[in-house]
Amino acid sequence: MFLLYGLVKLVFGQFGEPTAEIAAAKGEGFALAWTFFGYSKVYEMFIGLGEVGAAILLLFPRTATLGALIYFPIAVNVMLVNYCFDIGVQDLSTVLAVMCFVLLWLDRKKLLLLVSRKEMKA
């Protein structure tokens, strides 16, 4: 799913140009969010690259933890936007964020080792 959403942003543009209908909605959460995100192609590309990069890293056991670390803040941000602006895919974004958290939780010993090693050097 991470790869799919990232590729959609990079190849087709998920948000696109705000339509007259969206602009006329004035204040509706979905319309506001889509207009805001559709305004900047650079932002859309940045998020898309983050999603695609994290998805590729998640495909390989050696880099999966790094992929989860990269994707977790993206997934939480997407989930919060979906809830706060009533985008309508709250369930999917919640599942993706929880799945990413589970991956990080399963690798918590590795992650704690990284943190503790940096503390010992300091």
Side-chain angles (χ1 to χ4, degrees):
M1 291 308 297
F2 306 151
L3 186 60
L4 178 64
Y5 274 101
L7 287 173
V8 166
K9 286 177 185 71
L10 294 175
V11 177
F12 303 108
Q14 184 176 7
F15 307 113
E17 295 290 321
T19 64
E21 294 85 15
I22 290 174
K26 293 182 185 168
E28 188 179 320
F30 177 86
L32 279 172
W34 232 245
T35 301
F36 173 77
F37 291 125
Y39 182 79
S40 173
K41 190 67 173 166
V42 173
Y43 179 77
E44 185 173 20
M45 290 284 130
F46 180 77
I47 297 300
L49 286 171
E51 288 174 330
V52 169
I56 290 169
L57 290 170
L58 282 164
L59 291 174
F60 305 100
R62 186 177 181 120
T63 58
T65 304
L66 179 60
L69 278 171
I70 291 169
Y71 192 71
F72 188 65
I74 296 170
V76 170
N77 180 58
V78 168
M79 182 184 73
L80 287 172
V81 166
N82 288 342
Y83 278 103
C84 295
F85 293 95
D86 198 25
I87 301 298
V89 288
Q90 294 92 339
D91 52 350
L92 176 61
S93 60
T94 302
V95 168
L96 294 176
V98 168
M99 286 172 49
C100 195
F101 176 78
V102 168
L103 291 174
L104 292 171
W105 181 258
L106 292 173
D107 285 338
R108 68 189 178 280
K109 290 180 183 174
K110 279 195 268 184
L111 295 169
L112 288 172
L113 279 174
L114 284 173
V115 173
S116 64
R117 285 184 185 167
K118 287 185 179 186
E119 287 177 1
M120 287 195 289
K121 290 181 182 179

